[in-house]
Amino acid sequence: MLSRRVFLLRRPLLSFSPRFAQRLHTTPLKMSNKSESEWRAILTPEQFRVLRQKGTEAPGTSAYNKHYEKGVYHCAGCDAPLYTSDTKFNSGCGWPAFFDAIPGAVVRHEDNTLGMKRIEICCAKCGGHLGHVFQGEGFDTPTDERHCVNGVSMRFHDK
């Protein structure tokens, strides 16, 4: 399996359809009022690195990557509901993948790191970094999107 970095660098620069671009959140995201020390007290070091410092967990390491129980995935930082299990699918990318979020749960920001245009997704409640969303990869999903989410940024609650 390709590493995420190799996978991303081998892809052509992404272009976004007008429909996709309309979903971008262009105003600054209001981050949580918690201090860095408060976040460190409630998150594991890996959760802090991913959620607060925009890190990425290693591919294939999340317990949620091949997790298909019925329920809701919540933000590990603030417990806001983010995704339902009905929108989860097996993309083979090494991270949990969803084709859509719970309405209003996730905000999108353009991310131009790594020399390409990507869309970062963050928790709308606390601003925690979740991962990135990709469009037009050919998955048979209703939205033609793949929300590639760091599993460490979520907690699962069964129905």
Side-chain angles (χ1 to χ4, degrees):
M1 175 175 278
L2 292 176
S3 71
R4 184 175 190 187
R5 181 174 299 275
V6 171
F7 171 76
L8 291 172
L9 293 176
R10 284 188 181 175
R11 294 177 47 84
L13 290 178
L14 297 175
S15 62
F16 301 115
S17 71
R19 186 185 109 243
F20 186 71
Q22 288 174 345
R23 296 178 72 179
L24 287 177
H25 189 272
T26 55
T27 57
L29 181 64
K30 181 181 183 290
M31 298 300 281
S32 168
N33 291 330
K34 285 186 172 66
S35 69
E36 182 176 322
S37 61
E38 288 173 310
W39 279 118
R40 287 186 186 277
I42 63 171
L43 299 173
T44 67
E46 180 68 353
Q47 287 172 327
F48 182 84
R49 187 183 70 79
V50 171
L51 284 165
R52 307 317 305 168
Q53 297 177 325
K54 300 185 182 210
T56 302
E57 68 186 353
T61 60
S62 171
Y64 298 138
N65 186 31
K66 295 182 180 180
H67 180 262
Y68 294 102
E69 292 180 31
K70 293 290 185 190
V72 178
Y73 295 85
H74 291 243
C75 176
C78 68
D79 204 38
L82 302 170
Y83 296 95
T84 66
S85 57
D86 296 334
T87 63
K88 190 169 188 313
F89 70 102
N90 182 7
S91 69
C93 69
W95 290 269
F98 303 85
F99 61 80
D100 207 359
I102 293 172
V106 171
V107 293
R108 301 167 184 232
H109 301 277
E110 190 171 306
D111 175 2
N112 293 305
T113 59
L114 300 177
M116 64 174 60
K117 188 185 292 187
R118 299 182 298 166
I119 300 302
E120 176 190 16
I121 47 178
C122 297
C123 173
K125 184 176 175 186
C126 73
H129 172 76
L130 302 172
H132 290 85
V133 62
F134 301 93
Q135 182 192 40
E137 296 180 316
F139 291 108
D140 186 23
T141 62
T143 61
D144 197 25
E145 292 181 357
R146 173 175 59 94
H147 293 228
C148 185
V149 182
N150 290 289
V152 72
S153 66
M154 300 182 295
R155 290 188 183 120
F156 181 76
H157 298 271
D158 53 4
K159 286 188 174 180

